[in-house]
Amino acid sequence: MTWARMVPAIDRERLINDLNAISRIGLGEHGAVTRLAFSIKELRARQLLIHWMRQAGLKIHIDRIGNIFGRLNGANPKAPAVVAGSHLDTVIQGGKFDGAVGVIGALEAVRTIREKKVPLRSPVEVVCFVGEESSRFGFSTLGSSLVAGEVKIEDLANAVDAQGTKLEDILASMGIYRDNLASLKRDHSTVRAYLELHIEQGPILEAKNKKIGVVTSIAAPTRFKVVFTGQADHSGTTPMEMRKDALVAAAHLIEYVEEICREFSRMEKGRVVGTVGALKIEPGVINAIPGRTELSVDIRSITAEAKERVAHLVKEKAREIARQRDITVDVLPIREELPVALDDRLVLLLKRSCEEKGIPYEVMPSGAGHDAMQMANITRAAMIFVPSKRGISHSPLEWTDPEDICLGTELLLNTIVRVANEEV
Ligand code: GLV
Ligand code: MN
Ligand code: MN
């Protein structure tokens, strides 16, 4: 069975209109979108999705954390479901495509299946996962991690937002505690596959003039905080040689993260990227020597060994800097995840589908994290990328051509139909 015979056209105008409607929630200056996890804006986006799912005739299930599943049954309602989606939360001042394309694309695919009466054997579910972005708590893919049974108690210890709110308290307010973290885990026998459409968030597809990325693996992050504690003191009276400046220590470590990751980027095996994306300075005033700094470190690679090596070197360097400056250092783990391989047979199906349709595609790894890396723990998972203009993401400048979003959605639809009809 080929793509052309199986797949009716999606409603391109509805897809782009709905994406635009979602992006107006949390829209700020210069087109920046902010819908942090569990914020009112994220909730409103999820409410709009529920409304559309109802209109589309989907059976809705919302779990305790707020993950939304909209289900369309096939001929065999007891068969495991093909689940497709992504997330609607964003970073601070992000773009309108990261996450939303995968949720609204999956919704459009399922609407098309229902309206055009495309025969399905297995059920299909559209999913919106809560809190995929780590921007609020330093903890990524929260909703999908709970569904995959991948949240560990120790992961929560240092998950605190900028206002001091603990992720653990938010979870408790929803009835999720240390001893029932596993209760949201989905029985793997109820899921046939997980499919996620997403913007590439990098420059490869545009540079190679390809329309689709077929993702083979996802580089999962290792994250930790480094806290330097020196001595806050008067900036006018304290002689230079008597200072214990925690910010200068932090500056040396930030530079080292860049240096060591550049070194590893040049290696043939095990490209590693590393970022210090957040820094707290105390007391943080112009006339006091910084007494305490807290750095958030994010290290990623497709190769677990290379990532572990770099994380180890960065921690060692932090201790060395502290020793040299006679200050103290603490390393607080946030989360350590392993790179994930996506399903070979689904990769093959995606490649074949692109070839049938004459779509130029690239087989590639993902440098960004995604809900698919959690879902891959309980089912076969696959991802479809569409090009990002100039490779920019997590920025208001994020842009993907509507034509490419439509093409990606059509490929998603084609894949959902094929997997739900048990071709693979
Ligand atoms: C998700 O967007 C990530 O930080 O990789
Ligand atoms: Mn995303
Ligand atoms: Mn993101």
Side-chain angles (χ1 to χ4, degrees):
M1 215 176 311
T2 67
W3 161 308
R5 265 192 288 142
M6 281 190 71
V7 178
I10 58 165
D11 184 337
R12 292 182 162 218
E13 201 178 320
R14 177 172 63 188
L15 169 64
I16 300 304
N17 282 345
D18 287 355
L19 252 181
N20 286 334
I22 286 284
S23 74
R24 283 192 287 274
I25 304 174
L27 189 63
E29 277 182 37
H30 312 298
V33 180
T34 304
R35 288 191 301 266
L36 276 184
F38 303 110
S39 65
I40 294 292
K41 304 290 182 191
E42 193 213 12
L43 285 175
R44 277 189 48 212
R46 283 196 264 143
Q47 275 166 350
L48 183 55
L49 177 70
I50 292 169
H51 170 70
W52 286 332
M53 282 179 167
R54 269 205 194 105
Q55 278 184 336
L58 305 186
K59 188 165 170 271
I60 296 168
H61 167 70
I62 304 173
D63 68 12
R64 251 180 303 149
I65 190 76
N67 294 319
I68 304 162
F69 300 85
R71 181 173 170 111
L72 177 70
N73 272 328
N76 180 3
K78 294 217 167 78
V82 178
V83 179
S86 193
H87 60 99
L88 287 178
D89 66 315
T90 71
V91 300
I92 295 172
Q93 297 185 3
K96 63 186 213 183
F97 302 96
D98 177 0
V101 163
V103 177
I104 308 302
L107 175 67
E108 182 54 38
V110 175
R111 279 165 165 167
T112 306
I113 291 170
R114 187 160 185 269
E115 288 165 3
K116 306 278 171 65
K117 300 189 171 51
V118 180
L120 289 183
R121 275 203 281 274
S122 304
V124 178
E125 293 179 23
V126 178
V127 63
C128 169
F129 288 115
V130 168
E132 189 271 351
E133 299 288 1
S134 46
S135 303
R136 181 162 177 196
F137 295 103
F139 190 105
S140 66
T141 61
L142 174 65
S144 51
S145 296
L146 284 162
V147 169
E150 290 293 319
V151 180
K152 299 185 203 80
I153 292 164
E154 60 267 27
D155 295 340
L156 299 175
N158 298 309
V160 181
D161 75 5
Q163 279 68 43
T165 305
K166 291 183 179 164
L167 176 56
E168 218 177 327
D169 290 343
I170 291 196
L171 294 182
S173 73
M174 295 172 168
I176 303 167
Y177 306 99
R178 283 165 172 245
D179 55 4
N180 70 354
L181 278 176
S183 62
L184 270 77
K185 181 169 180 185
R186 177 123 177 201
D187 177 352
H188 67 92
S189 68
T190 66
V191 188
R192 184 166 177 77
Y194 174 73
L195 306 173
E196 184 166 351
L197 170 67
H198 206 281
I199 56 167
E200 180 200 346
Q201 307 181 276
I204 308 291
L205 294 177
E206 188 180 62
K208 296 196 169 180
N209 213 6
K210 302 286 172 71
K211 288 290 171 196
I212 292 290
V214 175
V215 184
T216 49
S217 54
I218 304 176
T222 288
R223 288 172 167 156
F224 51 90
K225 287 183 186 170
V226 175
V227 180
F228 286 112
T229 309
Q231 179 63 57
D233 211 334
H234 199 291
S235 69
T237 58
T238 318
M240 293 312 287
E241 64 280 10
M242 289 178 71
R243 294 177 177 221
K244 293 190 174 181
D245 188 326
L247 184 55
V248 180
H252 284 299
L253 189 66
I254 293 168
E255 198 161 29
Y256 180 75
V257 169
E258 184 185 59
E259 194 182 296
I260 191 72
C261 290
R262 281 190 180 202
E263 201 177 309
F264 271 72
S265 299
R266 287 191 293 270
M267 291 188 177
E268 252 169 52
K269 276 189 193 166
R271 249 187 105 248
V272 179
V273 293
T275 310
V276 177
L279 178 61
K280 275 194 216 158
I281 306 166
E282 291 174 20
V285 292
I286 195 168
N287 55 350
I289 297 162
R292 183 180 183 276
T293 50
E294 188 179 302
L295 299 78
S296 301
V297 186
D298 168 304
I299 298 171
R300 310 194 196 198
S301 177
I302 290 292
T303 317
E305 304 76 54
K307 185 177 69 149
E308 269 164 37
R309 179 95 193 106
V310 169
H312 174 76
L313 289 170
V314 170
K315 290 173 193 170
E316 281 293 294
K317 185 71 180 180
R319 289 183 194 109
E320 184 192 318
I321 292 169
R323 258 194 320 273
Q324 282 169 351
R325 300 187 155 261
D326 195 20
I327 62 175
T328 61
V329 66
D330 291 298
V331 176
L332 311 176
I334 298 182
R335 209 171 179 201
E336 197 160 323
E337 290 170 279
L338 287 174
V340 169
L342 299 182
D343 185 74
D344 285 342
R345 284 199 300 157
L346 291 173
V347 166
L348 203 64
L349 174 69
L350 287 168
K351 284 163 60 177
R352 251 189 9 234
S353 300
C354 288
E355 281 154 17
E356 280 166 15
K357 187 88 171 161
I359 302 169
Y361 68 93
E362 179 75 11
V363 176
M364 61 192 296
S366 168
H370 299 288
D371 292 307
M373 72 196 186
Q374 302 303 341
M375 292 302 282
N377 289 298
I378 56 163
T379 190
R380 300 180 297 153
M383 288 197 77
I384 300 167
F385 276 173
V386 284
S388 293
K389 192 161 190 242
R390 289 169 40 222
I392 298 173
S393 185
H394 285 183
S395 153
L397 295 179
E398 188 176 273
W399 179 258
T400 295
D401 192 322
E403 278 297 311
D404 294 340
I405 294 172
C406 292
L407 183 64
T409 302
E410 280 161 359
L411 177 59
L412 176 69
L413 167 60
N414 175 73
T415 314
I416 290 173
V417 172
R418 289 178 131 174
V419 179
N421 284 308
E422 296 161 26
E423 268 190 57
V424 288

